[in-house]
Amino acid sequence: MVQTSTAPLPSSARPYVGTGQRRIDGVSKVTGQARYAAEFPADGLLYGHVVSGGALASGEILRIDTRAAEAVAGVVRVYTHENRPRQPWFDSTYQDQVAPPGIPFRPLKDAKIVYSGQPVALVVAQSLEVAAYAASLLEITYREEPFRTDLAAEQSNAYVPPEKRAGIEPPPPDRGDVDRALAEAPVKVEASYFVAAEHHNPMETHASTVVWNDGKLTVYDKIQGVVASKEYLNEVFGLSPDDVHVISPFVGGAFGVGLRPQYQLFLATMAALDLRRSVRVTLTRDQMFTLTYRPHTIQHLALGAERDGRLTAIRHEAVAATSTFEDYQEVVVNWSGLGYRCPNVAFDYKLAKLHTYTPSDMRAPGAATGVYGLECAMDELAHAAGIDPLELRLKNYAEEDANTGKPFTSKQLRECYRQGAERFGWSRRSPRPRSMRDGRELIGWGLATGFWEASMQQTSARAVLSADGGLELATATADIGTGTYTILAQIAADAMGVPIEQVDVKIGDSSLPASPLEGGSWTAASAGSAVQKACFGLREQLFHHARAMEGSPLANEVLERIIFTGGRMEVANDPSRSVVVADVMAALGLEKLAAEETAKPDQDAQENYSGYTHSAIFVEVRVDEELNVVRVTRIVDAVAAGRILNLKTARSQILGGVVFGIGMALEEQSELDHRFGRFMNHNIAEYHIPVNADVRDIDVIFVEEHDDKVSPIGVKGLGEIGIVGTAAAIANAIFHATGKRVRDLPITPDKLLRDDVDGVSSGMARAG
């Protein structure tokens, strides 16, 4: 007989989704219990130190003398291109999941040098200190060949990539007659914008611990998707799926650098298989600059408008850097076709091959770059036309995606503008540059719009309910610091009506149900939808069991009328008719009940709608009139991103993106010395990023938005929208403060001090 209850619902019956919950993994992180890739123990562990060939950007190794290194006590093996084990990968065309067209870099393949800093040897020893010391004893002789690392000098050699990168849309077809519209436009701007190369620099450097056990490998890797590393190892080393198990429960930041398996994984696995020992390879901070980066990009924009500010023409062209061996591509210019209503639009996107490593996705790849150019050009157009920058954007507001002609799944950008402007006090802005000041500081107010794609990927998840009320979730997705553990627990707790403390989330393990890489701001929508679907599968099983039991108060009911709350199933509007879930499990003799489901994006929505997240960023800067030092004193970022799962972690995502944007606008630049072809500021001391003193008041507004098309749980994603537009808003505020238009990021004091800064390096803006 099933017992019923009319007791008051416990506090756990309150919904978790939409509230500000603390991270469920927070305690383990701050107490050091959370283990990262280089922290997992293994018996007899050996340590590998990578030798970076930083002497040249192109050429070959003529001689490599390893004798002194091999003579050091504790050194087990020194691997070079001359003695490394033969691998199937060296003769195959295999590419990893996110590889662009071309041939991936293959460490130690041969004597060829294709970029400065590439790994040329691996020293394996009984301790990390011995390996590093022995590595310093290697004597290497090179032959240098001509190289190219200057994007500006290579513009004339730029080309349209012959093969499209998977998942990256090429520029849409031109529409209208841009040349004629520009020629006839009474107001026009034309300018070039420069974005410097940036390296990711997450707190955790890349590392792989490969545990060898009788030919089978357990691999702890820094990666944004364990399935990617597993597939990579299976293909590269010709291993069977059962021989490789990849684990990555915690990732100390990534921002895109962890989307591809990096070379330390190959080297550690190569050594482990050859030596039949467990091997760990950890990259130094300097060596993080020998990996991927946001590509330096040059953009040229021309905008034409009527005197009232209505756009008549947009031309957006871009040349971006790639390596000599892969055609890395981003969506850079497309944003200008969907951002604003305009009848005449033309696009051009080309690549220039440089002797560097292949660039990669870096927080909002393409958008952070392309929207910077577009939004600065819009600010220049507003100034040339004598129109308020916010009014100009509202006048050209796009109600549909003009690139495709499709309606948006949802778009509350107008409300972002309204709420952001009201909170910021935009109406008090004096329009004339250099007209607002406080003592020796010039005050500038600027704004920009943010756009980022909202999508969902197919993801599987498993939910297991225990007789004691514990709920275990499992999916192979990752948590790169975004709060994935917590939001999945929230979704499941609400779905099953249990306290969040009873939910155990397992992720970052290739043996769990399949999940895509964590990237593109799609993880919350994808993994969250899969978890909810798995929990709904559990609900259905429990309900049918409970309804079929003798004397059940749920007899003749339908699942749609059942509420799961407080560990019970109760009939909506009649809590007296309820069943305790634990009683159902006990009556059936079940210790556990499981459901595994796969969530897929809505095909109709994908084909007939465009999904994007939107934001409006308002910025205040103060610029010292004599020193030209810029301080970002206030930012209001109003974001429309569908359903917000966790107010606390969601706000943190936007804060992080905004700080990223501050760095992009004012500080971050990987400095290439074209005489040597290498990045010179390859450490945190000289690669400048925002610190506490650079970050002031950041106010985040989440604009209410309902979206039932992007994902089953109404989520759009927040990981990247925070950076998009932020650099442009800061640049626009600096112009308003100083009257100087700097179009070359980052905007450093020396650029503001130049007398020719307004127009010489970047173009013209005029009202005819």
Side-chain angles (χ1 to χ4, degrees):
M1 182 73 177
V2 177
Q3 299 296 317
T4 63
S5 173
T6 58
L9 296 179
S11 60
S12 61
R14 296 198 301 265
Y16 291 102
V17 169
T19 64
Q21 296 294 317
R22 299 173 64 180
R23 293 174 184 261
I24 64 171
D25 55 329
V27 172
S28 62
K29 285 183 174 179
V30 300
T31 58
Q33 297 176 67
R35 283 181 174 167
Y36 295 82
E39 297 181 327
F40 287 89
D43 293 337
L45 183 65
L46 299 176
Y47 298 82
H49 182 86
V50 177
V51 180
S52 301
L56 67 163
S58 178
E60 66 175 336
I61 300 171
L62 297 179
R63 177 176 173 272
I64 182 164
D65 189 342
T66 63
R67 289 174 296 178
E70 291 170 331
V72 174
V75 170
V76 177
R77 188 73 53 86
V78 178
Y79 291 98
T80 71
H81 67 280
E82 296 176 338
N83 69 340
R84 50 86 180 152
R86 183 175 181 82
Q87 303 298 340
W89 187 37
F90 291 136
D91 301 316
S92 75
T93 58
Y94 170 73
Q95 297 175 312
D96 59 77
Q97 285 187 7
V98 298
I103 303 298
F105 174 71
R106 302 172 185 189
L108 307 190
K109 180 179 186 294
D110 51 34
K112 183 69 175 173
I113 299 295
V114 293
Y115 74 96
S116 179
Q118 79 174 56
V120 296
L122 176 71
V123 179
V124 180
Q126 293 175 356
S127 73
L128 180 60
E129 294 78 9
V130 168
Y133 169 68
S136 70
L137 302 179
L138 264 65
E139 295 182 4
I140 308 175
T141 305
Y142 301 95
R143 180 177 62 81
E144 189 170 18
E145 297 176 356
F147 58 86
R148 306 178 303 276
T149 55
D150 189 344
L151 179 63
E154 293 301 313
Q155 288 188 84
S156 60
N157 297 321
Y159 61 96
V160 176
E163 183 182 348
K164 171 184 171 294
R165 180 187 172 200
I168 302 298
E169 289 299 320
D174 298 350
R175 54 182 186 263
D177 188 338
V178 171
D179 290 337
R180 180 177 177 180
L182 283 171
E184 296 176 352
V187 184
K188 65 189 72 176
V189 300
E190 188 171 357
S192 294
Y193 301 89
F194 305 83
V195 176
E198 299 174 74
H199 278 83
H200 301 71
N201 281 307
M203 286 191 293
E204 181 195 15
T205 63
H206 271 278
S208 299
T209 301
V210 181
V211 180
W212 188 88
N213 183 11
D214 196 23
K216 295 187 180 296
L217 303 180
T218 300
V219 180
Y220 302 95
D221 191 34
K222 179 191 173 74
I223 191 72
Q224 289 175 243
V226 288
V227 175
S229 289
K230 179 180 173 66
E231 290 180 356
Y232 171 86
L233 294 176
N234 290 149
E235 292 289 338
V236 167
F237 293 97
L239 302 171
S240 69
D242 292 340
D243 288 340
V244 180
H245 182 198
V246 180
I247 301 172
S248 182
F250 297 99
V251 182
F255 316 119
V257 74
L259 290 173
R260 301 183 72 174
Q262 299 295 351
Y263 63 73
Q264 93 289 337
L265 175 61
F266 171 83
L267 294 173
T269 306
M270 176 196 72
L273 289 171
D274 184 53
L275 298 172
R276 300 189 172 196
R277 297 274 301 274
S278 299
V279 178
R280 172 177 297 155
V281 177
T282 304
L283 299 188
T284 65
R285 178 59 61 184
D286 285 3
Q287 288 170 335
M288 293 295 289
F289 287 83
T290 67
L291 300 176
T292 58
Y293 61 94
R294 191 192 300 281
H296 22 297
T297 307
I298 300 172
Q299 302 174 73
H300 184 79
L301 280 103
L303 306 183
E306 301 291 355
R307 293 191 182 277
D308 65 357
R310 284 183 297 111
L311 283 166
T312 58
I314 300 176
R315 174 180 283 120
H316 193 169
E317 302 168 339
V319 176
T322 189
S323 66
T324 59
F325 47 91
E326 290 180 303
D327 284 346
Y328 173 75
Q329 300 158 48
E330 296 181 335
V331 176
V332 176
V333 300
N334 306 25
W335 310 98
S336 292
L338 68 86
Y340 299 103
R341 188 176 64 253
C342 184
N344 304 288
V345 183
F347 310 93
D348 189 51
Y349 176 68
K350 294 179 179 179
L351 302 177
K353 285 191 176 296
L354 304 180
H355 287 89
T356 63
Y357 193 76
T358 304
S360 80
D361 300 320
M362 183 177 184
R363 203 166 197 166
T369 302
V371 174
Y372 157 71
L374 171 64
E375 287 301 292
C376 286
M378 286 292 286
D379 195 71
E380 298 202 42
L381 183 67
H383 180 69
I387 297 174
D388 180 84
L390 178 54
E391 180 186 348
L392 178 72
R393 286 163 172 81
L394 290 169
K395 191 178 291 287
N396 293 286
Y397 192 88
E399 298 291 353
E400 64 177 23
D401 179 354
N403 285 342
T404 63
K406 298 177 182 179
F408 294 107
T409 58
S410 60
K411 186 178 182 181
Q412 289 297 319
L413 179 56
R414 285 187 190 275
E415 192 62 15
C416 291
Y417 287 138
R418 188 191 69 78
Q419 292 188 31
E422 182 179 340
R423 184 78 62 88
F424 187 82
W426 184 259
S427 61
R428 301 193 301 274
R429 178 180 183 267
S430 172
R432 184 170 56 86
R434 298 183 67 89
S435 62
M436 299 170 64
R437 67 166 56 238
D438 181 9
R440 60 185 282 174
E441 287 189 314
L442 299 170
I443 300 174
W445 288 4
L447 74 85
T449 309
F451 317 88
W452 182 249
E453 57 192 359
S455 64
M456 174 190 169
Q457 306 292 317
Q458 178 174 316
T459 305
S460 299
R462 181 172 60 244
V464 180
L465 184 66
S466 299
D468 62 2
L471 179 64
E472 179 185 285
L473 309 177
T475 179
T477 192
D479 189 335
I480 59 175
T482 53
T484 305
Y485 278 102
T486 307
I487 61 170
L488 297 185
Q490 289 177 262
I491 292 168
D494 279 359
M496 298 306 299
V498 300
I500 197 170
E501 294 79 12
Q502 292 178 207
V503 181
D504 181 23
V505 180
K506 297 187 181 302
I507 62 175
D509 187 322
S510 63
S511 67
L512 302 179
S515 176
L517 292 158
E518 179 167 21
S521 296
W522 62 53
T523 298
S526 306
S529 295
V531 162
Q532 178 174 272
K533 190 172 182 180
C535 289
F536 283 175
L538 273 183
R539 287 161 56 118
E540 186 172 0
Q541 291 184 56
L542 285 167
F543 169 69
H544 286 304
H545 283 309
R547 188 178 60 175
M549 298 178 73
E550 182 182 354
S552 173
L554 306 185
N556 302 318
E557 281 295 342
V558 293
L559 181 59
E560 289 72 22
R561 279 175 41 84
I562 302 302
I563 297 173
F564 284 70
T565 179
R568 296 182 177 84
M569 293 175 281
E570 65 179 39
V571 178
N573 301 319
D574 189 359
S576 64
R577 297 174 60 197
S578 69
V579 175
V580 177
V581 171
D583 292 345
V584 177
M585 300 276 286
L588 295 171
L590 294 175
E591 286 296 322
K592 293 186 177 184
L593 191 64
E596 184 169 329
E597 299 286 350
T598 298
K600 302 177 182 179
D602 185 294
Q603 200 65 35
D604 177 71
Q606 283 193 321
E607 293 175 357
N608 298 307
Y609 292 88
S610 285
Y612 288 91
T613 303
H614 299 89
S615 66
I617 308 101
F618 298 81
V619 170
E620 176 185 274
V621 301
R622 288 174 176 252
V623 184
D624 187 292
E625 191 171 16
E626 296 178 1
L627 301 177
N628 283 275
V629 173
V630 178
R631 295 189 300 132
V632 178
T633 50
R634 200 160 54 94
I635 295 180
V636 173
D637 196 345
V639 181
R643 188 184 189 191
I644 304 301
L645 297 175
N646 186 324
L647 290 172
K648 182 176 290 188
T649 58
R651 178 176 179 271
S652 292
Q653 283 300 290
I654 300 302
L655 291 179
V658 168
V659 173
F660 229 97
I662 294 173
M664 182 180 182
L666 300 178
E667 297 170 89
E668 291 197 51
Q669 180 173 14
S670 299
E671 297 275 6
L672 262 170
D673 189 325
H674 302 305
R675 297 172 300 170
F676 306 106
R678 63 176 175 264
F679 292 107
M680 304 303 290
N681 56 332
H682 45 86
N683 53 70
I684 295 298
E686 294 178 324
Y687 181 90
H688 296 164
I689 57 176
V691 296
N692 288 355
D694 300 315
V695 181
R696 306 282 176 128
D697 183 15
I698 302 175
D699 192 356
V700 179
I701 301 171
F702 289 117
V703 173
E704 186 173 347
E705 183 178 60
H706 174 72
D707 195 310
D708 59 0
K709 298 176 178 64
V710 167
S711 67
I713 58 176
V715 170
K716 283 186 169 182
L718 291 163
E720 285 152 301
I721 187 63
I723 186 178
V724 183
T726 299
I730 293 171
N732 295 338
I734 290 172
F735 169 74
H736 181 240
T738 65
K740 295 182 177 182
R741 183 71 70 174
V742 181
R743 303 178 179 92
D744 185 0
L745 295 185
I747 302 175
T748 48
D750 59 301
K751 295 173 183 176
L752 284 170
L753 284 166
R754 287 169 43 191
D755 293 332
D756 64 345
V757 71
D758 189 14
V760 173
S761 69
S762 45
M764 61 181 179
R766 68 178 185 273

